[in-house]
Amino acid sequence: MADSLDTIDYVVIGIYFIAVLCVGIWSTCRPNRGNTTGYFLAGKSMHWIPVGASIYASNIGAPMFIGLAGTAAASGLAVTIYEWIAVYFLVALGWVFLPVYISSGVFTMPEYLRKRFGGKRIRMFSSFFALIGFILFNISIEIYSGAIFLQQILKWNMYLCVVLILIVTALFTVIGGLASVIYTDTLQSAVLLISATILAVMGLNEDQLIVQRTLSAKNMVHAKAATLFASVLKLTGLLLFIIPGMISRILYTDDIACADPKSCEEFCNNKAGCSNFAYPVLVIRLLPKGLRGLMLAALLAALMSSMTSILNSGSSIMTMDIWRQFRKQAPQSELMIVGRLTVLVLVVLSVLWLPILKSAEAGIIWFYMQAIRSYLIPPMCVLFVLGLFWKKLTEQGAFWGLILGLIVGIIRMVLDFSFRAPLCGSGDPDNRPAIVSKVDFLHFAAILGLVTTGAMILISMFTEPRPDRKLKRVTWWTRNDEDEPELSSDEEEDFGFDSENEQRQPVETLDNEKCQMLQKCKDWICGTIKEPKSKLSPEEKGLLRKKMTSLSEKTRNRRILNCAAVLIIIGTTVLIAVFH
């Protein structure tokens, strides 16, 4: 039984990283990299396969391998529901939410909120909330999950592993933008599916021996097809995560299902249990040489996929939703630099949060991840659903409903982290407040959603709704309107097309080749390459915007996609019913 990687494993890992690096660099050579549309939306030219693969890969980061497999090792098949329920939301994304977002012509969700509600409060709130959330329950969890795996596999120092992974991840995001993210995600998804399937099959064979039993699409059509593709991939969670986690518990019961806190601490330095190590232990002990390296590459791919998407989103939000509030006439070069600096800041803050996460949660990744989202996310979900379907939801109702929901959620989160549950088998009494011990995080999420909904509706009934002329193309009922929404002067913004007011700085003459080379390197890294371009006429800009916001679909394609969506929903429902 192997306890460490062999030379061939390191060779496989090296080859993988070289391949990913080449894909990332190749993607930076694509057109439109030097403007916000190209950098943040990949030029609106992506095929449904890479977009769907990117959606899938972005969602199955290291927490899915560590947390989901670990939870399966501890409690069995029930956790599969988390994955399968996501299929319904992915279909809803393609058929309900995306049409409105595309029609409104926005880059980010905060930008949509500005067009839907007007004013700046909600947009700024959601922007800062998103950036904090990236640190609190996205980037830090990804880093911690990856550290757990690398520590078990490579026996490296955790922070050395973290720094190396973040440098490569940030490099891809900073240099390539969303196009680099999507193309590398496509490669990583292939590696992930192949190697995880191999592990599942090999694990099933060993089980049998013991107990005799195992988001920039081209158009609306590609956008819908991408969500369906991602939905199908989500159904593989049972094979990729759940079953391997259960197999690991069967094969290595003494380690993964340690009977008492003392033995757990000896194996994984965690008195609460070692189920989080189910997947890493299975990889290092079961797979042969070479395949161990491939699986490690797949897990690092999952980590990097999620990290690149998160960092790109954070960069977009800071640039388009916050910075331009203070610098409305900022040139494209300045926006590019701000986006890249945002990536670096998010990385640094997430690393600083890592020790707090490690000490507070004792490695219980999955429940930390789900609990903290249950405390903070429901108000935002209510906001988008009501904003999409109820035209009378006002800015005041939305804003103060968000504030109330945030206060209630933070109170519950503080109580949850202040009063820890007694260790299993310790015999200690549960002295936590009833709101913590009697109401789990999923039930609390439902309660918080109802409280927020009531507050938003009640306040909106006593405040003036937004006029219909300002709701064109920003709700489900107005998504097909021909006219753009009427915006006041303080709400007008450039929506991502190259601005005619871009400040053109005089190009200084450099005296020697060395300075010229340094200038070219700086321009390439910062995205400030000056490309000759002609000024668009109002008619040309109108045609460009019409193309980017079009919801047109050929009748044949629409029918095929609708039938596929129905079949996927029926299949998912059958799976849930069978395994319930």
Side-chain angles (χ1 to χ4, degrees):
M1 181 170 58
D3 289 319
S4 61
L5 297 182
D6 195 76
T7 302
I8 190 173
D9 296 312
Y10 290 105
V11 171
V12 170
I13 295 173
I15 293 174
Y16 162 78
F17 273 110
I18 292 174
V20 172
L21 182 61
C22 291
V23 172
I25 294 176
W26 169 77
S27 69
T28 67
C29 299
R30 291 173 56 82
N32 299 319
R33 177 179 167 266
N35 57 68
T36 50
T37 305
Y39 183 77
F40 294 122
L41 297 184
K44 290 283 288 183
S45 61
M46 301 307 300
H47 192 272
W48 63 271
I49 292 179
V51 172
S54 182
I55 293 173
Y56 171 71
S58 299
N59 185 251
I60 57 163
M64 303 297 286
F65 283 96
I66 304 298
L68 199 56
T71 305
S75 58
L77 287 172
V79 72
T80 312
I81 299 300
Y82 280 99
E83 283 292 278
W84 289 348
I85 288 294
V87 170
Y88 299 111
F89 292 101
L90 283 170
V91 174
L93 172 64
W95 268 255
V96 178
F97 291 92
L98 269 181
V100 178
Y101 298 152
I102 292 176
S103 177
S104 61
V106 297
F107 273 4
T108 63
M109 295 304 96
E111 185 180 350
Y112 167 76
L113 294 176
R114 182 199 61 79
K115 295 191 71 174
R116 169 60 179 86
F117 296 103
K120 298 181 179 179
R121 296 190 301 180
I122 295 178
R123 181 177 182 179
M124 295 298 287
F125 175 93
S126 61
S127 298
F128 282 111
F129 177 83
L131 292 177
I132 294 173
F134 287 153
I135 297 170
L136 194 61
F137 51 77
N138 284 112
I139 303 176
S140 57
I141 294 176
E142 294 285 346
I143 294 172
Y144 186 45
S145 302
I148 286 179
F149 191 92
L150 291 179
Q151 278 186 302
Q152 178 69 24
I153 299 296
L154 302 177
K155 311 301 181 184
W156 288 359
N157 176 274
M158 180 180 68
Y159 289 98
L160 176 59
C161 298
V162 166
V163 169
L164 292 176
I165 291 174
L166 287 178
I167 287 176
V168 177
T169 303
L171 183 64
F172 288 153
T173 307
V174 166
I175 294 178
L178 185 58
S180 176
V181 172
I182 292 178
Y183 281 112
T184 54
D185 277 353
T186 304
L187 173 63
Q188 291 162 351
S189 294
V191 175
L192 177 67
L193 288 171
I194 293 172
S195 47
T197 301
I198 291 173
L199 177 62
V201 172
M202 295 187 67
L204 285 171
N205 290 334
E206 294 290 329
D207 194 30
Q208 185 64 28
L209 291 174
I210 296 177
V211 296
Q212 295 293 304
R213 66 150 242 62
T214 181
L215 159 232
S216 47
K218 284 183 177 181
N219 50 46
M220 198 64 233
V221 171
H222 282 270
K224 287 183 175 180
T227 59
L228 291 183
F229 183 40
S231 299
V232 173
L233 294 177
K234 289 291 286 182
L235 294 177
T236 63
L238 177 64
L239 173 67
L240 298 184
F241 311 118
I242 307 303
I243 290 178
M246 298 173 65
I247 291 172
S248 183
R249 179 189 175 103
I250 294 172
L251 294 179
Y252 314 112
T253 305
D254 293 340
D255 295 330
I256 304 304
C258 43
D260 58 82
K262 182 179 179 180
S263 58
C264 291
E265 187 174 22
E266 290 177 356
F267 177 69
C268 66
N269 297 318
N270 187 352
K271 293 182 179 180
C274 297
S275 59
N276 283 334
F277 288 79
Y279 207 93
V281 168
L282 192 67
V283 170
I284 198 66
R285 295 184 181 179
L286 182 60
L287 287 180
K289 299 177 183 179
L291 283 180
R292 288 199 301 264
L294 183 61
M295 177 52 71
L296 177 57
L299 286 164
L300 293 177
L303 170 62
M304 291 172 57
S305 295
S306 296
M307 288 288 293
T308 48
S309 297
I310 293 167
L311 292 175
N312 188 79
S313 297
S315 175
S316 302
I317 289 173
M318 181 64 191
T319 302
M320 310 306 294
D321 301 313
I322 298 179
W323 189 260
R324 291 208 309 182
Q325 295 296 316
F326 306 99
R327 293 274 297 167
K328 292 185 180 298
Q329 301 300 323
Q332 295 286 327
S333 58
E334 180 179 320
L335 296 179
M336 294 296 101
I337 294 174
V338 170
R340 286 157 168 78
L341 290 177
T342 299
V343 170
L344 300 180
V345 171
L346 288 175
V347 166
V348 170
L349 293 178
S350 299
V351 172
L352 294 177
W353 179 257
L354 190 59
I356 300 175
L357 169 62
K358 182 179 179 180
S359 61
E361 291 307 307
I364 309 176
I365 301 172
W366 185 256
F367 290 112
Y368 170 89
M369 180 169 60
Q370 300 304 325
I372 201 168
R373 287 175 175 170
S374 297
Y375 304 150
L376 300 178
I377 295 298
M380 293 298 296
C381 296
V382 170
L383 172 67
F384 279 99
V385 172
L386 286 182
L388 205 69
F389 292 105
W390 192 39
K391 295 169 64 175
K392 293 185 178 181
L393 179 64
T394 66
E395 190 273 347
Q396 296 93 327
F399 179 76
W400 292 110
L402 283 176
I403 296 297
L404 175 62
L406 180 65
I407 292 174
V408 174
I410 288 177
I411 291 175
R412 168 59 196 263
M413 183 173 66
V414 171
L415 290 174
D416 199 13
F417 291 162
S418 300
F419 299 92
R420 305 301 301 169
L423 294 176
C424 181
S426 64
D428 296 334
D430 190 346
N431 297 320
R432 295 177 295 166
I435 188 63
V436 177
S437 61
K438 305 291 185 183
V439 181
D440 64 42
F441 58 82
L442 291 177
H443 291 152
F444 180 82
I447 295 172
L448 182 58
L450 291 176
V451 170
T452 304
T453 301
M456 288 185 178
I457 291 177
L458 183 63
I459 297 174
S460 295
M461 291 175 64
F462 292 95
T463 51
E464 185 177 357
R466 194 163 172 82
D468 286 344
R469 67 180 185 276
K470 294 188 176 183
L471 293 179
K472 296 180 182 297
R473 304 175 71 93
V474 296
T475 72
W476 174 258
W477 317 111
T478 62
R479 68 190 187 282
N480 292 315
D481 287 357
E482 292 294 332
D483 299 330
E484 295 289 337
E486 180 182 312
L487 302 178
S488 57
S489 58
D490 63 327
E491 295 171 348
E492 288 286 356
E493 291 184 9
D494 172 59
F495 293 105
F497 305 107
D498 292 336
S499 174
E500 296 180 10
N501 299 320
E502 180 172 351
Q503 303 171 13
R504 299 185 180 276
Q505 304 294 338
V507 180
E508 298 181 0
T509 303
L510 300 177
D511 296 327
N512 53 63
E513 292 185 2
K514 181 178 180 181
C515 291
Q516 291 179 357
M517 183 62 67
L518 291 176
Q519 180 68 32
K520 289 181 179 179
C521 291
K522 188 273 288 185
D523 287 340
W524 185 73
I525 293 174
C526 295
T528 57
I529 300 174
K530 301 295 188 298
E531 297 179 353
K533 52 187 176 184
S534 58
K535 181 179 178 180
L536 296 177
S537 66
E539 293 77 14
E540 290 173 327
K541 292 187 70 175
L543 290 174
L544 177 59
R545 181 165 180 80
K546 184 177 180 180
K547 176 183 178 181
M548 293 186 66
T549 60
S550 174
L551 299 180
S552 63
E553 302 174 74
K554 292 183 178 179
T555 303
R556 178 174 175 271
N557 292 337
R558 183 171 62 252
R559 290 175 178 173
I560 292 175
L561 289 171
N562 289 343
C563 291
V566 171
L567 290 175
I568 289 174
I569 290 175
I570 293 175
T572 302
T573 304
V574 171
L575 286 174
I576 293 176
V578 170
F579 287 91
H580 184 267

